[in-house]
Amino acid sequence: EVQLVESGGGLVQAGGSLRLSCAVSGVTFDDYAIGWFRQAPGKEREGVSCIRSSDGSTYYADSLKGRFTISSDNAKNTVYLQMNSLKPEDTAIYYCAAGPWLGYYPLSSFNFGSWGRGTQVTVSS
């Protein structure tokens, strides 16, 4: 059974940084992706970033490139999302998810079948 546990959320002032962690276990795909998604109140869930297990290739939402960085520590089975220069509009629940690598639409939530419970990120102005 795939388990994903997010941590690292919290309250931060605009311009600050946070690093989210996603502890991953139980993934059996030979080649898979771990993605970060977020959902703000009243808005649809959106893909933030993902990383491919086999070669570490990374993908980002265009609007977040340059501020967010995804990385993985295979020894710790953990994927990180470093978020810098945070803005109030980054306020959301952030989820990590796992799914087989399909090679298309890497930030589509439909590609991910296992989800964590999320961690709240609140950015104050």
Side-chain angles (χ1 to χ4, degrees), residues 28-82:
T28 59
F29 302 114
D30 290 337
D31 192 8
Y32 60 91
I34 301 296
W36 283 99
F37 295 79
R38 68 184 185 182
Q39 188 165 20
K43 294 188 176 181
E44 293 186 354
R45 182 168 51 191
E46 65 171 330
V48 173
S49 181
C50 81
I51 187 166
R52 182 180 179 184
S53 67
S54 63
D55 62 5
S57 54
T58 58
Y59 303 83
Y60 297 92
D62 288 342
S63 61
L64 300 175
K65 286 180 181 177
R67 294 197 299 123
F68 289 15
T69 304
I70 192 170
S71 62
S72 64
D73 184 334
N74 293 333
K76 295 183 178 180
N77 293 322
T78 300
V79 174
Y80 303 99
L81 184 69
Q82 178 68 42

mmCIF file of all heavy atoms in Angstrom, residues 28-82:
data_model
loop_
_atom_site.group_PDB
_atom_site.id
_atom_site.type_symbol
_atom_site.label_atom_id
_atom_site.label_comp_id
_atom_site.label_asym_id
_atom_site.label_seq_id
_atom_site.Cartn_x
_atom_site.Cartn_y
_atom_site.Cartn_z
ATOM 1 N N THR A 28 5.493 0.646 -5.830
ATOM 2 C CA THR A 28 6.057 -0.529 -6.475
ATOM 3 C C THR A 28 6.313 -0.344 -7.969
ATOM 4 O O THR A 28 6.858 -1.239 -8.607
ATOM 5 C CB THR A 28 5.130 -1.740 -6.275
ATOM 6 O OG1 THR A 28 3.849 -1.423 -6.837
ATOM 7 C CG2 THR A 28 4.973 -2.063 -4.801
ATOM 8 N N PHE A 29 5.905 0.770 -8.531
ATOM 9 C CA PHE A 29 6.174 1.004 -9.950
ATOM 10 C C PHE A 29 7.677 1.102 -10.194
ATOM 11 O O PHE A 29 8.404 1.663 -9.393
ATOM 12 C CB PHE A 29 5.508 2.307 -10.409
ATOM 13 C CG PHE A 29 4.030 2.352 -10.196
ATOM 14 C CD1 PHE A 29 3.473 3.245 -9.298
ATOM 15 C CD2 PHE A 29 3.185 1.507 -10.897
ATOM 16 C CE1 PHE A 29 2.111 3.305 -9.085
ATOM 17 C CE2 PHE A 29 1.820 1.547 -10.698
ATOM 18 C CZ PHE A 29 1.283 2.448 -9.792
ATOM 19 N N ASP A 30 8.116 0.583 -11.323
ATOM 20 C CA ASP A 30 9.528 0.704 -11.664
ATOM 21 C C ASP A 30 9.896 2.161 -11.972
ATOM 22 O O ASP A 30 10.997 2.606 -11.678
ATOM 23 C CB ASP A 30 9.862 -0.158 -12.886
ATOM 24 C CG ASP A 30 9.810 -1.645 -12.562
ATOM 25 O OD1 ASP A 30 9.965 -1.999 -11.374
ATOM 26 O OD2 ASP A 30 9.602 -2.449 -13.490
ATOM 27 N N ASP A 31 8.967 2.871 -12.565
ATOM 28 C CA ASP A 31 9.206 4.260 -12.926
ATOM 29 C C ASP A 31 7.954 5.038 -12.522
ATOM 30 O O ASP A 31 6.874 4.759 -13.023
ATOM 31 C CB ASP A 31 9.474 4.382 -14.430
ATOM 32 C CG ASP A 31 10.008 5.744 -14.822
ATOM 33 O OD1 ASP A 31 10.311 6.560 -13.918
ATOM 34 O OD2 ASP A 31 10.126 5.999 -16.043
ATOM 35 N N TYR A 32 8.123 5.959 -11.618
ATOM 36 C CA TYR A 32 6.952 6.648 -11.104
ATOM 37 C C TYR A 32 7.250 8.123 -10.892
ATOM 38 O O TYR A 32 8.397 8.569 -11.002
ATOM 39 C CB TYR A 32 6.470 6.000 -9.793
ATOM 40 C CG TYR A 32 7.489 6.017 -8.679
ATOM 41 C CD1 TYR A 32 7.540 7.070 -7.769
ATOM 42 C CD2 TYR A 32 8.394 4.977 -8.531
ATOM 43 C CE1 TYR A 32 8.469 7.087 -6.752
ATOM 44 C CE2 TYR A 32 9.331 4.980 -7.514
ATOM 45 C CZ TYR A 32 9.364 6.032 -6.627
ATOM 46 O OH TYR A 32 10.292 6.044 -5.627
ATOM 47 N N ALA A 33 6.213 8.840 -10.624
ATOM 48 C CA ALA A 33 6.334 10.270 -10.361
ATOM 49 C C ALA A 33 5.765 10.579 -8.987
ATOM 50 O O ALA A 33 4.782 9.972 -8.557
ATOM 51 C CB ALA A 33 5.590 11.073 -11.413
ATOM 52 N N ILE A 34 6.404 11.497 -8.325
ATOM 53 C CA ILE A 34 5.867 12.090 -7.106
ATOM 54 C C ILE A 34 5.561 13.542 -7.433
ATOM 55 O O ILE A 34 6.436 14.281 -7.902
ATOM 56 C CB ILE A 34 6.848 12.020 -5.932
ATOM 57 C CG1 ILE A 34 7.218 10.571 -5.618
ATOM 58 C CG2 ILE A 34 6.251 12.708 -4.702
ATOM 59 C CD1 ILE A 34 6.068 9.718 -5.145
ATOM 60 N N GLY A 35 4.331 13.905 -7.212
ATOM 61 C CA GLY A 35 3.916 15.258 -7.543
ATOM 62 C C GLY A 35 3.464 16.033 -6.321
ATOM 63 O O GLY A 35 3.032 15.453 -5.320
ATOM 64 N N TRP A 36 3.569 17.338 -6.442
ATOM 65 C CA TRP A 36 2.997 18.246 -5.447
ATOM 66 C C TRP A 36 1.847 19.002 -6.114
ATOM 67 O O TRP A 36 1.996 19.520 -7.226
ATOM 68 C CB TRP A 36 4.034 19.246 -4.945
ATOM 69 C CG TRP A 36 5.010 18.680 -3.968
ATOM 70 C CD1 TRP A 36 6.276 18.239 -4.214
ATOM 71 C CD2 TRP A 36 4.786 18.492 -2.558
ATOM 72 N NE1 TRP A 36 6.855 17.789 -3.051
ATOM 73 C CE2 TRP A 36 5.964 17.934 -2.020
ATOM 74 C CE3 TRP A 36 3.712 18.741 -1.701
ATOM 75 C CZ2 TRP A 36 6.092 17.617 -0.660
ATOM 76 C CZ3 TRP A 36 3.841 18.427 -0.371
ATOM 77 C CH2 TRP A 36 5.025 17.884 0.151
ATOM 78 N N PHE A 37 0.733 19.060 -5.400
ATOM 79 C CA PHE A 37 -0.435 19.773 -5.853
ATOM 80 C C PHE A 37 -0.887 20.701 -4.735
ATOM 81 O O PHE A 37 -0.500 20.520 -3.574
ATOM 82 C CB PHE A 37 -1.556 18.790 -6.206
ATOM 83 C CG PHE A 37 -1.234 17.903 -7.363
ATOM 84 C CD1 PHE A 37 -0.415 16.789 -7.207
ATOM 85 C CD2 PHE A 37 -1.720 18.173 -8.629
ATOM 86 C CE1 PHE A 37 -0.093 15.974 -8.281
ATOM 87 C CE2 PHE A 37 -1.412 17.371 -9.712
ATOM 88 C CZ PHE A 37 -0.596 16.272 -9.537
ATOM 89 N N ARG A 38 -1.703 21.663 -5.078
ATOM 90 C CA ARG A 38 -2.242 22.528 -4.037
ATOM 91 C C ARG A 38 -3.681 22.899 -4.379
ATOM 92 O O ARG A 38 -4.081 22.902 -5.543
ATOM 93 C CB ARG A 38 -1.391 23.781 -3.872
ATOM 94 C CG ARG A 38 -1.425 24.744 -5.061
ATOM 95 C CD ARG A 38 -0.461 25.907 -4.811
ATOM 96 N NE ARG A 38 -0.530 26.909 -5.863
ATOM 97 C CZ ARG A 38 0.225 28.000 -5.905
ATOM 98 N NH1 ARG A 38 1.128 28.231 -4.955
ATOM 99 N NH2 ARG A 38 0.086 28.862 -6.894
ATOM 100 N N GLN A 39 -4.416 23.185 -3.336
ATOM 101 C CA GLN A 39 -5.801 23.605 -3.512
ATOM 102 C C GLN A 39 -6.113 24.706 -2.508
ATOM 103 O O GLN A 39 -6.022 24.498 -1.294
ATOM 104 C CB GLN A 39 -6.763 22.434 -3.337
ATOM 105 C CG GLN A 39 -8.198 22.783 -3.695
ATOM 106 C CD GLN A 39 -9.060 21.568 -3.878
ATOM 107 O OE1 GLN A 39 -8.751 20.477 -3.409
ATOM 108 N NE2 GLN A 39 -10.164 21.732 -4.584
ATOM 109 N N ALA A 40 -6.449 25.844 -3.049
ATOM 110 C CA ALA A 40 -6.850 26.983 -2.227
ATOM 111 C C ALA A 40 -8.364 26.965 -2.054
ATOM 112 O O ALA A 40 -9.080 26.395 -2.880
ATOM 113 C CB ALA A 40 -6.396 28.280 -2.887
ATOM 114 N N PRO A 41 -8.863 27.601 -1.001
ATOM 115 C CA PRO A 41 -10.313 27.624 -0.787
ATOM 116 C C PRO A 41 -11.053 28.184 -1.992
ATOM 117 O O PRO A 41 -10.694 29.233 -2.521
ATOM 118 C CB PRO A 41 -10.466 28.540 0.433
ATOM 119 C CG PRO A 41 -9.172 28.439 1.146
ATOM 120 C CD PRO A 41 -8.134 28.282 0.085
ATOM 121 N N GLY A 42 -12.067 27.454 -2.432
ATOM 122 C CA GLY A 42 -12.869 27.916 -3.545
ATOM 123 C C GLY A 42 -12.240 27.760 -4.906
ATOM 124 O O GLY A 42 -12.806 28.209 -5.910
ATOM 125 N N LYS A 43 -11.072 27.142 -4.960
ATOM 126 C CA LYS A 43 -10.382 26.985 -6.244
ATOM 127 C C LYS A 43 -10.146 25.515 -6.542
ATOM 128 O O LYS A 43 -10.166 24.667 -5.654
ATOM 129 C CB LYS A 43 -9.048 27.729 -6.228
ATOM 130 C CG LYS A 43 -9.197 29.245 -6.120
ATOM 131 C CD LYS A 43 -7.865 29.941 -6.298
ATOM 132 C CE LYS A 43 -8.031 31.441 -6.285
ATOM 133 N NZ LYS A 43 -6.730 32.147 -6.472
ATOM 134 N N GLU A 44 -9.895 25.245 -7.795
ATOM 135 C CA GLU A 44 -9.594 23.877 -8.185
ATOM 136 C C GLU A 44 -8.168 23.497 -7.779
ATOM 137 O O GLU A 44 -7.298 24.353 -7.649
ATOM 138 C CB GLU A 44 -9.762 23.721 -9.707
ATOM 139 C CG GLU A 44 -11.182 23.869 -10.189
ATOM 140 C CD GLU A 44 -11.326 23.562 -11.660
ATOM 141 O OE1 GLU A 44 -10.305 23.337 -12.333
ATOM 142 O OE2 GLU A 44 -12.472 23.548 -12.147
ATOM 143 N N ARG A 45 -7.968 22.222 -7.614
ATOM 144 C CA ARG A 45 -6.628 21.730 -7.323
ATOM 145 C C ARG A 45 -5.729 21.959 -8.531
ATOM 146 O O ARG A 45 -6.162 21.747 -9.666
ATOM 147 C CB ARG A 45 -6.691 20.246 -6.984
ATOM 148 C CG ARG A 45 -5.385 19.609 -6.602
ATOM 149 C CD ARG A 45 -5.615 18.224 -6.019
ATOM 150 N NE ARG A 45 -6.444 17.416 -6.880
ATOM 151 C CZ ARG A 45 -6.969 16.243 -6.525
ATOM 152 N NH1 ARG A 45 -6.744 15.775 -5.310
ATOM 153 N NH2 ARG A 45 -7.702 15.557 -7.374
ATOM 154 N N GLU A 46 -4.520 22.382 -8.295
ATOM 155 C CA GLU A 46 -3.601 22.635 -9.392
ATOM 156 C C GLU A 46 -2.272 21.929 -9.157
ATOM 157 O O GLU A 46 -1.824 21.776 -8.013
ATOM 158 C CB GLU A 46 -3.357 24.132 -9.589
ATOM 159 C CG GLU A 46 -2.669 24.829 -8.453
ATOM 160 C CD GLU A 46 -2.252 26.256 -8.782
ATOM 161 O OE1 GLU A 46 -1.954 26.541 -9.967
ATOM 162 O OE2 GLU A 46 -2.205 27.080 -7.841
ATOM 163 N N GLY A 47 -1.680 21.505 -10.238
ATOM 164 C CA GLY A 47 -0.371 20.880 -10.161
ATOM 165 C C GLY A 47 0.708 21.904 -9.938
ATOM 166 O O GLY A 47 0.713 22.955 -10.578
ATOM 167 N N VAL A 48 1.604 21.611 -9.018
ATOM 168 C CA VAL A 48 2.694 22.524 -8.683
ATOM 169 C C VAL A 48 4.000 22.058 -9.308
ATOM 170 O O VAL A 48 4.667 22.801 -10.023
ATOM 171 C CB VAL A 48 2.844 22.625 -7.156
ATOM 172 C CG1 VAL A 48 4.078 23.440 -6.783
ATOM 173 C CG2 VAL A 48 1.586 23.228 -6.527
ATOM 174 N N SER A 49 4.338 20.794 -9.041
ATOM 175 C CA SER A 49 5.613 20.274 -9.521
ATOM 176 C C SER A 49 5.596 18.762 -9.403
ATOM 177 O O SER A 49 4.813 18.199 -8.634
ATOM 178 C CB SER A 49 6.759 20.840 -8.663
ATOM 179 O OG SER A 49 8.012 20.372 -9.105
ATOM 180 N N CYS A 50 6.443 18.106 -10.167
ATOM 181 C CA CYS A 50 6.610 16.669 -9.972
ATOM 182 C C CYS A 50 8.035 16.271 -10.346
ATOM 183 O O CYS A 50 8.746 17.003 -11.037
ATOM 184 C CB CYS A 50 5.588 15.846 -10.734
ATOM 185 S SG CYS A 50 5.960 15.588 -12.470
ATOM 186 N N ILE A 51 8.420 15.108 -9.844
ATOM 187 C CA ILE A 51 9.748 14.574 -10.101
ATOM 188 C C ILE A 51 9.613 13.115 -10.498
ATOM 189 O O ILE A 51 8.823 12.369 -9.924
ATOM 190 C CB ILE A 51 10.665 14.763 -8.873
ATOM 191 C CG1 ILE A 51 12.104 14.366 -9.187
ATOM 192 C CG2 ILE A 51 10.135 14.006 -7.656
ATOM 193 C CD1 ILE A 51 13.094 14.856 -8.127
ATOM 194 N N ARG A 52 10.374 12.725 -11.501
ATOM 195 C CA ARG A 52 10.330 11.364 -12.011
ATOM 196 C C ARG A 52 11.373 10.521 -11.295
ATOM 197 O O ARG A 52 12.522 10.948 -11.129
ATOM 198 C CB ARG A 52 10.596 11.365 -13.515
ATOM 199 C CG ARG A 52 10.528 10.014 -14.181
ATOM 200 C CD ARG A 52 10.810 10.118 -15.665
ATOM 201 N NE ARG A 52 10.770 8.810 -16.319
ATOM 202 C CZ ARG A 52 11.056 8.613 -17.601
ATOM 203 N NH1 ARG A 52 11.375 9.640 -18.374
ATOM 204 N NH2 ARG A 52 10.991 7.414 -18.105
ATOM 205 N N SER A 53 10.983 9.320 -10.909
ATOM 206 C CA SER A 53 11.873 8.504 -10.079
ATOM 207 C C SER A 53 13.103 8.009 -10.835
ATOM 208 O O SER A 53 14.193 7.926 -10.275
ATOM 209 C CB SER A 53 11.110 7.307 -9.509
ATOM 210 O OG SER A 53 10.726 6.415 -10.557
ATOM 211 N N SER A 54 12.939 7.640 -12.098
ATOM 212 C CA SER A 54 14.021 6.952 -12.804
ATOM 213 C C SER A 54 15.194 7.861 -13.132
ATOM 214 O O SER A 54 16.345 7.413 -13.091
ATOM 215 C CB SER A 54 13.497 6.321 -14.089
ATOM 216 O OG SER A 54 13.021 7.314 -14.973
ATOM 217 N N ASP A 55 14.937 9.120 -13.436
ATOM 218 C CA ASP A 55 16.038 9.981 -13.845
ATOM 219 C C ASP A 55 16.054 11.333 -13.135
ATOM 220 O O ASP A 55 16.918 12.162 -13.416
ATOM 221 C CB ASP A 55 16.020 10.213 -15.359
ATOM 222 C CG ASP A 55 14.770 10.917 -15.837
ATOM 223 O OD1 ASP A 55 13.945 11.320 -14.990
ATOM 224 O OD2 ASP A 55 14.612 11.073 -17.060
ATOM 225 N N GLY A 56 15.118 11.536 -12.222
ATOM 226 C CA GLY A 56 15.107 12.786 -11.451
ATOM 227 C C GLY A 56 14.657 14.000 -12.226
ATOM 228 O O GLY A 56 14.811 15.126 -11.744
ATOM 229 N N SER A 57 14.108 13.785 -13.412
ATOM 230 C CA SER A 57 13.650 14.942 -14.178
ATOM 231 C C SER A 57 12.496 15.619 -13.440
ATOM 232 O O SER A 57 11.704 14.964 -12.759
ATOM 233 C CB SER A 57 13.238 14.537 -15.583
ATOM 234 O OG SER A 57 12.296 13.494 -15.554
ATOM 235 N N THR A 58 12.452 16.923 -13.560
ATOM 236 C CA THR A 58 11.488 17.712 -12.801
ATOM 237 C C THR A 58 10.610 18.557 -13.712
ATOM 238 O O THR A 58 11.021 18.936 -14.820
ATOM 239 C CB THR A 58 12.214 18.630 -11.809
ATOM 240 O OG1 THR A 58 13.118 19.484 -12.526
ATOM 241 C CG2 THR A 58 12.996 17.824 -10.777
ATOM 242 N N TYR A 59 9.438 18.852 -13.238
ATOM 243 C CA TYR A 59 8.465 19.625 -13.989
ATOM 244 C C TYR A 59 7.803 20.615 -13.035
ATOM 245 O O TYR A 59 7.579 20.293 -11.856
ATOM 246 C CB TYR A 59 7.421 18.700 -14.608
ATOM 247 C CG TYR A 59 8.036 17.654 -15.502
ATOM 248 C CD1 TYR A 59 8.564 16.490 -14.958
ATOM 249 C CD2 TYR A 59 8.123 17.840 -16.869
ATOM 250 C CE1 TYR A 59 9.171 15.534 -15.768
ATOM 251 C CE2 TYR A 59 8.711 16.891 -17.690
ATOM 252 C CZ TYR A 59 9.237 15.748 -17.130
ATOM 253 O OH TYR A 59 9.835 14.811 -17.929
ATOM 254 N N TYR A 60 7.504 21.787 -13.560
ATOM 255 C CA TYR A 60 6.917 22.835 -12.741
ATOM 256 C C TYR A 60 5.771 23.516 -13.489
ATOM 257 O O TYR A 60 5.790 23.640 -14.717
ATOM 258 C CB TYR A 60 7.961 23.903 -12.399
ATOM 259 C CG TYR A 60 9.107 23.402 -11.571
ATOM 260 C CD1 TYR A 60 10.263 22.926 -12.154
ATOM 261 C CD2 TYR A 60 9.013 23.401 -10.174
ATOM 262 C CE1 TYR A 60 11.321 22.457 -11.388
ATOM 263 C CE2 TYR A 60 10.064 22.937 -9.400
ATOM 264 C CZ TYR A 60 11.206 22.465 -10.017
ATOM 265 O OH TYR A 60 12.243 22.001 -9.244
ATOM 266 N N ALA A 61 4.813 23.985 -12.706
ATOM 267 C CA ALA A 61 3.821 24.888 -13.272
ATOM 268 C C ALA A 61 4.550 26.149 -13.720
ATOM 269 O O ALA A 61 5.426 26.657 -13.005
ATOM 270 C CB ALA A 61 2.758 25.220 -12.234
ATOM 271 N N ASP A 62 4.215 26.644 -14.898
ATOM 272 C CA ASP A 62 4.923 27.799 -15.450
ATOM 273 C C ASP A 62 4.936 28.982 -14.489
ATOM 274 O O ASP A 62 5.933 29.696 -14.369
ATOM 275 C CB ASP A 62 4.289 28.214 -16.777
ATOM 276 C CG ASP A 62 4.583 27.228 -17.893
ATOM 277 O OD1 ASP A 62 5.542 26.430 -17.735
ATOM 278 O OD2 ASP A 62 3.858 27.235 -18.897
ATOM 279 N N SER A 63 3.834 29.183 -13.794
ATOM 280 C CA SER A 63 3.711 30.355 -12.923
ATOM 281 C C SER A 63 4.598 30.266 -11.686
ATOM 282 O O SER A 63 4.796 31.267 -10.998
ATOM 283 C CB SER A 63 2.247 30.530 -12.485
ATOM 284 O OG SER A 63 1.823 29.402 -11.755
ATOM 285 N N LEU A 64 5.131 29.072 -11.404
ATOM 286 C CA LEU A 64 5.903 28.885 -10.177
ATOM 287 C C LEU A 64 7.389 28.676 -10.426
ATOM 288 O O LEU A 64 8.165 28.578 -9.472
ATOM 289 C CB LEU A 64 5.348 27.692 -9.401
ATOM 290 C CG LEU A 64 3.886 27.821 -8.979
ATOM 291 C CD1 LEU A 64 3.405 26.532 -8.335
ATOM 292 C CD2 LEU A 64 3.695 28.990 -8.035
ATOM 293 N N LYS A 65 7.759 28.574 -11.670
ATOM 294 C CA LYS A 65 9.174 28.369 -11.983
ATOM 295 C C LYS A 65 10.006 29.506 -11.407
ATOM 296 O O LYS A 65 9.647 30.666 -11.494
ATOM 297 C CB LYS A 65 9.376 28.296 -13.494
ATOM 298 C CG LYS A 65 8.911 27.008 -14.114
ATOM 299 C CD LYS A 65 9.151 27.008 -15.615
ATOM 300 C CE LYS A 65 8.668 25.718 -16.244
ATOM 301 N NZ LYS A 65 8.835 25.723 -17.723
ATOM 302 N N GLY A 66 11.110 29.134 -10.803
ATOM 303 C CA GLY A 66 12.008 30.124 -10.237
ATOM 304 C C GLY A 66 11.797 30.352 -8.760
ATOM 305 O O GLY A 66 12.694 30.829 -8.071
ATOM 306 N N ARG A 67 10.615 30.034 -8.249
ATOM 307 C CA ARG A 67 10.356 30.201 -6.815
ATOM 308 C C ARG A 67 10.296 28.867 -6.081
ATOM 309 O O ARG A 67 10.677 28.786 -4.917
ATOM 310 C CB ARG A 67 9.041 30.950 -6.596
ATOM 311 C CG ARG A 67 9.043 32.380 -7.067
ATOM 312 C CD ARG A 67 7.889 33.165 -6.458
ATOM 313 N NE ARG A 67 6.582 32.637 -6.826
ATOM 314 C CZ ARG A 67 5.667 32.240 -5.935
ATOM 315 N NH1 ARG A 67 5.918 32.310 -4.641
ATOM 316 N NH2 ARG A 67 4.485 31.813 -6.355
ATOM 317 N N PHE A 68 9.815 27.838 -6.747
ATOM 318 C CA PHE A 68 9.670 26.527 -6.121
ATOM 319 C C PHE A 68 10.677 25.559 -6.725
ATOM 320 O O PHE A 68 10.928 25.587 -7.927
ATOM 321 C CB PHE A 68 8.254 25.982 -6.344
ATOM 322 C CG PHE A 68 7.176 26.694 -5.563
ATOM 323 C CD1 PHE A 68 7.380 27.926 -4.969
ATOM 324 C CD2 PHE A 68 5.926 26.106 -5.446
ATOM 325 C CE1 PHE A 68 6.378 28.570 -4.255
ATOM 326 C CE2 PHE A 68 4.910 26.723 -4.736
ATOM 327 C CZ PHE A 68 5.129 27.951 -4.141
ATOM 328 N N THR A 69 11.196 24.686 -5.878
ATOM 329 C CA THR A 69 12.139 23.667 -6.335
ATOM 330 C C THR A 69 11.787 22.324 -5.720
ATOM 331 O O THR A 69 11.652 22.228 -4.496
ATOM 332 C CB THR A 69 13.589 24.034 -5.949
ATOM 333 O OG1 THR A 69 13.917 25.327 -6.476
ATOM 334 C CG2 THR A 69 14.564 23.003 -6.497
ATOM 335 N N ILE A 70 11.654 21.319 -6.547
ATOM 336 C CA ILE A 70 11.375 19.967 -6.063
ATOM 337 C C ILE A 70 12.671 19.171 -6.078
ATOM 338 O O ILE A 70 13.533 19.356 -6.959
ATOM 339 C CB ILE A 70 10.289 19.276 -6.935
ATOM 340 C CG1 ILE A 70 9.784 18.008 -6.260
ATOM 341 C CG2 ILE A 70 10.808 19.009 -8.339
ATOM 342 C CD1 ILE A 70 8.548 17.425 -6.955
ATOM 343 N N SER A 71 12.819 18.301 -5.084
ATOM 344 C CA SER A 71 14.010 17.459 -5.024
ATOM 345 C C SER A 71 13.648 16.184 -4.275
ATOM 346 O O SER A 71 12.591 16.092 -3.656
ATOM 347 C CB SER A 71 15.158 18.186 -4.318
ATOM 348 O OG SER A 71 14.808 18.490 -2.986
ATOM 349 N N SER A 72 14.535 15.219 -4.358
ATOM 350 C CA SER A 72 14.270 13.962 -3.660
ATOM 351 C C SER A 72 15.528 13.455 -2.986
ATOM 352 O O SER A 72 16.647 13.688 -3.468
ATOM 353 C CB SER A 72 13.730 12.915 -4.623
ATOM 354 O OG SER A 72 14.700 12.583 -5.601
ATOM 355 N N ASP A 73 15.332 12.770 -1.892
ATOM 356 C CA ASP A 73 16.405 12.080 -1.178
ATOM 357 C C ASP A 73 16.017 10.610 -1.176
ATOM 358 O O ASP A 73 15.179 10.188 -0.366
ATOM 359 C CB ASP A 73 16.551 12.636 0.231
ATOM 360 C CG ASP A 73 17.722 12.021 0.974
ATOM 361 O OD1 ASP A 73 18.113 10.874 0.660
ATOM 362 O OD2 ASP A 73 18.255 12.682 1.879
ATOM 363 N N ASN A 74 16.587 9.847 -2.089
ATOM 364 C CA ASN A 74 16.177 8.458 -2.234
ATOM 365 C C ASN A 74 16.520 7.632 -0.991
ATOM 366 O O ASN A 74 15.801 6.694 -0.648
ATOM 367 C CB ASN A 74 16.815 7.846 -3.476
ATOM 368 C CG ASN A 74 16.291 8.470 -4.752
ATOM 369 O OD1 ASN A 74 15.163 8.970 -4.781
ATOM 370 N ND2 ASN A 74 17.093 8.472 -5.792
ATOM 371 N N ALA A 75 17.583 7.975 -0.324
ATOM 372 C CA ALA A 75 17.966 7.238 0.888
ATOM 373 C C ALA A 75 16.922 7.390 1.981
ATOM 374 O O ALA A 75 16.724 6.494 2.795
ATOM 375 C CB ALA A 75 19.322 7.716 1.374
ATOM 376 N N LYS A 76 16.255 8.540 1.981
ATOM 377 C CA LYS A 76 15.234 8.800 3.003
ATOM 378 C C LYS A 76 13.820 8.601 2.472
ATOM 379 O O LYS A 76 12.854 8.822 3.200
ATOM 380 C CB LYS A 76 15.380 10.230 3.526
ATOM 381 C CG LYS A 76 16.677 10.492 4.264
ATOM 382 C CD LYS A 76 16.719 11.906 4.816
ATOM 383 C CE LYS A 76 17.996 12.155 5.603
ATOM 384 N NZ LYS A 76 18.059 13.534 6.157
ATOM 385 N N ASN A 77 13.720 8.227 1.175
ATOM 386 C CA ASN A 77 12.389 8.058 0.566
ATOM 387 C C ASN A 77 11.523 9.287 0.794
ATOM 388 O O ASN A 77 10.346 9.184 1.168
ATOM 389 C CB ASN A 77 11.693 6.813 1.102
ATOM 390 C CG ASN A 77 12.380 5.535 0.683
ATOM 391 O OD1 ASN A 77 12.860 5.412 -0.437
ATOM 392 N ND2 ASN A 77 12.450 4.588 1.598
ATOM 393 N N THR A 78 12.109 10.428 0.569
ATOM 394 C CA THR A 78 11.421 11.685 0.835
ATOM 395 C C THR A 78 11.594 12.626 -0.356
ATOM 396 O O THR A 78 12.675 12.713 -0.935
ATOM 397 C CB THR A 78 11.966 12.348 2.104
ATOM 398 O OG1 THR A 78 11.761 11.453 3.217
ATOM 399 C CG2 THR A 78 11.250 13.657 2.403
ATOM 400 N N VAL A 79 10.509 13.276 -0.682
ATOM 401 C CA VAL A 79 10.513 14.303 -1.722
ATOM 402 C C VAL A 79 10.233 15.643 -1.062
ATOM 403 O O VAL A 79 9.350 15.740 -0.198
ATOM 404 C CB VAL A 79 9.482 13.989 -2.810
ATOM 405 C CG1 VAL A 79 9.377 15.131 -3.813
ATOM 406 C CG2 VAL A 79 9.848 12.691 -3.527
ATOM 407 N N TYR A 80 10.978 16.639 -1.475
ATOM 408 C CA TYR A 80 10.862 17.962 -0.872
ATOM 409 C C TYR A 80 10.330 18.973 -1.884
ATOM 410 O O TYR A 80 10.537 18.837 -3.085
ATOM 411 C CB TYR A 80 12.231 18.434 -0.386
ATOM 412 C CG TYR A 80 12.883 17.500 0.592
ATOM 413 C CD1 TYR A 80 13.860 16.595 0.189
ATOM 414 C CD2 TYR A 80 12.515 17.508 1.942
ATOM 415 C CE1 TYR A 80 14.455 15.731 1.079
ATOM 416 C CE2 TYR A 80 13.101 16.645 2.840
ATOM 417 C CZ TYR A 80 14.075 15.756 2.404
ATOM 418 O OH TYR A 80 14.655 14.900 3.309
ATOM 419 N N LEU A 81 9.689 19.991 -1.357
ATOM 420 C CA LEU A 81 9.304 21.138 -2.167
ATOM 421 C C LEU A 81 9.777 22.382 -1.428
ATOM 422 O O LEU A 81 9.226 22.734 -0.388
ATOM 423 C CB LEU A 81 7.789 21.194 -2.384
ATOM 424 C CG LEU A 81 7.318 22.317 -3.296
ATOM 425 C CD1 LEU A 81 7.772 22.053 -4.740
ATOM 426 C CD2 LEU A 81 5.796 22.469 -3.250
ATOM 427 N N GLN A 82 10.822 22.981 -1.954
ATOM 428 C CA GLN A 82 11.332 24.222 -1.392
ATOM 429 C C GLN A 82 10.584 25.379 -2.019
ATOM 430 O O GLN A 82 10.558 25.505 -3.255
ATOM 431 C CB GLN A 82 12.835 24.354 -1.673
ATOM 432 C CG GLN A 82 13.458 25.639 -1.173
ATOM 433 C CD GLN A 82 13.499 25.723 0.333
ATOM 434 O OE1 GLN A 82 13.812 24.759 1.010
ATOM 435 N NE2 GLN A 82 13.156 26.903 0.872
#
